[in-house]
Amino acid sequence: VDRQIEQSVKAKVSYQDFDLSLISGFPNLQLSVENISVVGLGEFEGDTLFSADNFAIKVNPFQALFSDNLNIRSITSQRPRVTVLVAESGAANYDISADTSSTDTEPSSYQFGIDHWSLQDATIVYHDEQTGFYLELRELNHEGSGDFTQDLFDLETSSQAQLVAMSYDGVEYISDKKLVAEVILEMNLPESKYTFKDNQVSINDFAFGFEGWVSMPENSEDLLLDISFETRENSFQNLLSCVPGMYREGFEDIKSEGLVTFNGMAKGIYNEDKIPAFRLALQVEDAMFQYPDLPTAVSDINIDLLLANEDGNLDNTLIDISKLHLAFGSNPVNGSLRVDGLTNPEVNADITARLDLGELTSMFPLEGTTLKGNYNLSLKADGTYDSINQTFPVVDASMELRNGYIKSQEFPESLEQFQFISKVSNQTGRLPDTRIEVPEFSFVMDQEPVSGHMVLTNPDDYTWDFSLEGGVDLAKLTHILSLEDMTLAGVIRGNLASSGKMSSLEAEKYADIPTSGSFEVEDFSYASQDLAYPFQIKRGKASFTPRQIEITQVEALMGSTDLKAEGALTNYINYIFGENESINGTLELKSNKIDLNEWMTEAESDSGEEGETLTVLEIPTNVNMNLQANAGTVLYDNMTLTNARGQIIVKDGVAELRNLSFNSLGGGFLISGIYDPRNVRQPIFNMDLQIQEVAFKEAFQTFNTVKVLAPIAQFVDGDFSTNFKINGELQQNMMPNLSTLNGNGLVNVVTAALSGTDSKLVQGLAGLTQFNSAPKQFKLEDVIMAIKIRNGQMDVAPFEASFGDYRTEISGSTGIDGNMNFNLNMEVPAGVVGTSVNQAIATLSGSGQEVDDKINLNLKLAGSYTNPNFSLGSQEGTTAGVAKSVAQQKKQEVEDSAKVLVEQQKQQLTQSAKQQLDSLISNSTEDSAAAEGIKEVAKELLDDENLEGVLNLFKKKKKDTTKTP
């Protein structure tokens, strides 16, 4: 089963138990799977497409094995959860079928039918980011049956669900409604046509039915439909059940009257480019409702609504509320609204309303709530909105509230003296002449007054003039404004005034945008589930000018981290009002203690254990900051940093560190470089490190890079300094991806020691060489090591150390897998090696005597630091290997000495022969016999190279001789 799933599905499929049984479904064969889930890969990594507590199928076993027609007895699923996602790119998470293309185009004769299927307590979510459509169903219980082996049959379904939400393009149309549907469809499979025969759908108590058909022609992406619908009952109370907040316990006791007509149709073609023509009509006549035990009714309700589209072009949709009238006690609401078209709508509206808020508590069950105030609305509009042609409806609208008062059990802090006036006007029908004005706005909450005004004109080049002044107690404000998963506290007092044009803003003509103001914060606190500790500002001040916001006297606290800040923010107006604008700033930050460990999040490690770890810190691309930081103590992971100071420049989503210095691990650090998380899945870093006199052992305990590439540091007593450049990628836990590390630099070791009592390296080397008196440690003094790192492989250039009193040259490499490959060239007196080694040397050299001068041991070090493997060159690390290596070395030395001695003797003999021959020739004649004699002597004494020269010399003398030499 696992192999077939892997070959068929591009997703991660898992299940807890798989069962095939004749007993559970006798006489049928039952296949059941427990706790199954299908999780996406690639673009939908981690998104669960389907999961269920149980999924089971029952079939006739003999029919399944011996028939071409399979009749499935039942398919059932308990608590299935289906989440369908369509990305903006058009990719869908349900597209998980692997490529099963085949050259076999013959249609299969295999057929199957389903007697019955059911879903129990299902959840279905459909989210289409392309269209902005969202649908969520919960507590869905659904069952159906149909004989799919037939060409023409009835499909019977029954469904009950809680329709949690349905929205389109960010507008929620249905929320928290009970949905019931009983539907019988006539299934015409050869023609792919499906006809509504008998059906009823209810949303809460509002029931309606469908007539007509839906067809999907073969080899076509079009959906053809001809459907009409209408209410099955015409009670106004049934429609009232769909009004948000009305359908709840005791709804059946509401007194109501009135008739409702609801009908509509959809006919035509539906595809990616076209919609069918549609019409929806709703009429409410002479309706009223009154809650039990409340004295006043909402009466005289008359509504006539038409939503229509005649040609399938969505832009030509008509919204027409030709009649809207209802009375809240003695306060009427009257109006009409017609919007013809969506892109450049033609608008005609006339709406008036007058409400006494105090009377609403006598019409609606608002227990524990007190409302006061007089609210008035007047709206008249006529004309076309067209941004291209700069037209706007002629508008005269006003809304005002006087003597407002709000207090409730949920919002115990009263909002008093609440009043505002707002106006929208356009007298010419030209877009630039539109004016939005709030000349008055004020309220008092807990004796803190707030007031302001705003004027906004010319949408073609927004021109504004606003002011705001007052104080707000945030804790009391949150009693009125419901904030989920967060709490606010503190008092903010201040004033702000600004005026100007958007064109001046875009041109950065700040002198044309007079802006001024200031505010103070006291005892501010922000807490949420995402923060381990509340963020607090004990006090803070800021002042505004058109160019900048100046920040002073900020004292903040988060957990045990304290912070003081001063500085300025610029371009803030463009940042607030413009698109793709950045906010810039220069801040000086000071702290006595920064505990970064308190900001770490709970995360699950690769081993499945939970622990605190950092996640990738993203940097906004539209925030440019120059931060000068100074901290007494910084706690990060297992490090304690003191006297930390330096510059951090944040720009375009990248953080640059400049001369960030601090003390830690007994030494000093100076860091410059960049951190770039713009690719959040593969953040990178590039750092220049200067480290002074840090202990090897503390470096091992602190840095993962040292643990992997130089675990020997855990046994080394001593300090080191370094200038090092390093770069690479970071993992999601902000730790370096060691396989991507690259760098180079110098490591300066003033003094260090590696003891044999702690290190297997020293023990292994002593065991190989069998020194008569084994050295107890390696020593390094005034050593500078050149190191390069490439893709996680560390190469060390030759450097000198001491093994006891013996000079040793070391070079080689180590990798992230822990394997080593080092060469050690050690110069030692032969007498210090073991007796057995010396005897073997004497035998192999043929001298019969032990060697007593210096020898070079060329050693190889492989394996790992915890399991090192020493050898001599290509020889294994044994006594015989050591002896043979040294004997070969001594033999070569003897041969080299003999060659030198022979050459010296040869030169002496040659010189003597030359002198003798010269004397003979000088006293001889050109007698041939004498010449032959001299020639024979020269052959014995001289090599062939010198013979010709001697004979030439002899001929030049031309003297007689009477005797043979």
Side-chain angles (χ1 to χ4, degrees), residues 446-459:
D446 193 34
Q447 299 181 353
E448 290 282 358
V450 177
S451 62
H453 87 282
M454 183 193 75
V455 177
L456 187 64
T457 61
N458 188 10

Side-chain angles (χ1 to χ4, degrees), residues 133 147 248 282 307 392 418 577 633 648 782 829 851 899 954:
F133 181 76
D147 188 356
R248 56 185 180 179
L282 172 68
L307 180 65
F392 195 85
F418 187 16
F577 295 102
T633 302
I648 304 173
D782 295 325
V851 181
K899 288 180 180 179
F954 171 72

Side-chain angles (χ1 to χ4, degrees), residues 520-552:
E520 298 182 7
V521 178
E522 292 182 5
D523 299 324
F524 172 85
S525 176
Y526 168 76
S528 76
Q529 294 180 344
D530 298 329
L531 295 178
Y533 299 91
F535 176 68
Q536 300 173 315
I537 299 178
K538 185 177 181 181
R539 64 177 58 87
K541 292 183 178 181
S543 58
F544 298 84
T545 67
R547 182 173 295 277
Q548 69 178 20
I549 300 175
E550 185 177 358
I551 300 172
T552 58

Side-chain angles (χ1 to χ4, degrees), residues 459-472:
D460 191 40
D461 182 13
Y462 281 113
T463 303
W464 70 86
D465 182 0
F466 74 86
S467 66
L468 182 65
E469 182 177 3
V472 176

Side-chain angles (χ1 to χ4, degrees), residues 884-927:
K884 186 173 182 180
S885 176
V886 176
Q888 288 175 344
Q889 176 184 329
K890 287 300 176 183
K891 182 180 178 182
Q892 185 64 44
E893 291 176 358
V894 171
E895 290 178 352
D896 293 342
S897 298
K899 288 180 180 179
V900 172
L901 181 60
V902 168
E903 185 64 27
Q904 291 175 349
Q905 293 172 348
K906 179 179 176 180
Q907 291 176 358
Q908 292 174 1
L909 289 171
T910 300
Q911 183 65 28
S912 177
K914 285 182 179 180
Q915 292 173 356
Q916 293 180 42
L917 287 173
D918 184 58
S919 176
L920 288 171
I921 293 170
S922 298
N923 298 319
S924 68
T925 63
E926 292 186 353
D927 179 79

